[in-house]
Amino acid sequence: MNFPAQLGILAVTAATFFAPTTAFALTKSEIGAAVKSLDLSQDRQCAKDRNTGLDIDTDVVDLNGDGSGEVIASVSLHKDLTYCHGQNNAKFVAAKINGKWLQILSVETIDLKFVPRSGAEWPDAMNTSWGYFDTPVVYRFQNGQYVSD
């Protein structure tokens, strides 16, 4: 996606967002393996420091259109407490790459959108609730993981 330099990523319109397609169903065991691949150490420590636990909700989607499911995990503290880092939710994405579940994205956010980019195998991920005056942060898929632009 090319943006005019003076407008940055604010040039994105709502029409460019897409909802990832529902992928083939994954078993509970596969979803569990995907969640186990996520680095939740900071989140677990935050929950421990606040004397609470973590809620982990998962969605299975096909982000790159290959017919395989990626797992998006939404992680929050029990009792809807604010995270130790100021947010109250985090999103993690795990993908099965070469037969192994790997974390490909971790971001503190409530709202994560995926935006197709011409010529790219994977869509860009856009964190639209980071807090910098609501300026979205864009992550592009490079070398097997998402990195901030």
Side-chain angles (χ1 to χ4, degrees):
M1 203 174 286
N2 294 321
F3 301 109
Q6 67 275 23
L7 294 178
I9 55 179
L10 295 177
V12 176
T13 64
T16 62
F17 296 125
F18 81 102
T21 58
T22 301
F24 299 133
L26 295 179
T27 65
K28 284 185 180 183
S29 175
E30 289 173 304
I31 293 171
V35 170
K36 284 182 183 178
S37 76
L38 304 175
D39 180 6
L40 300 177
S41 58
Q42 287 183 331
D43 304 87
R44 291 187 199 289
Q45 185 62 48
C46 180
K48 182 179 175 185
D49 291 347
R50 292 182 175 251
N51 198 29
T52 190
L54 292 176
D55 291 324
I56 303 172
D57 294 316
T58 58
D59 291 309
V60 178
V61 297
D62 184 2
L63 290 174
N64 63 350
D66 67 353
S68 298
E70 286 77 46
V71 174
I72 299 175
S74 298
V75 179
S76 60
L77 297 177
H78 289 326
K79 305 176 192 170
D80 203 27
L81 294 171
T82 302
Y83 252 47
C84 297
H85 310 289
Q87 293 285 336
N88 62 0
N89 206 324
K91 302 275 187 189
F92 296 84
V93 179
K96 200 168 198 178
I97 299 175
N98 296 325
K100 183 178 178 183
W101 284 102
L102 300 172
Q103 176 177 303
I104 60 172
L105 178 64
S106 165
V107 61
E108 288 183 30
T109 187
I110 295 170
D111 195 20
L112 185 64
K113 296 190 178 354
F114 293 92
V115 184
R117 183 169 34 105
S118 179
E121 182 180 356
W122 289 78
D124 292 343
M126 185 175 292
N127 178 356
T128 59
S129 64
W130 178 244
Y132 295 114
F133 305 104
D134 293 326
T135 301
V137 177
V138 175
Y139 300 85
R140 295 183 190 261
F141 193 80
Q142 297 174 5
N143 300 318
Q145 65 183 350
Y146 278 95
V147 294
S148 60
D149 219 10

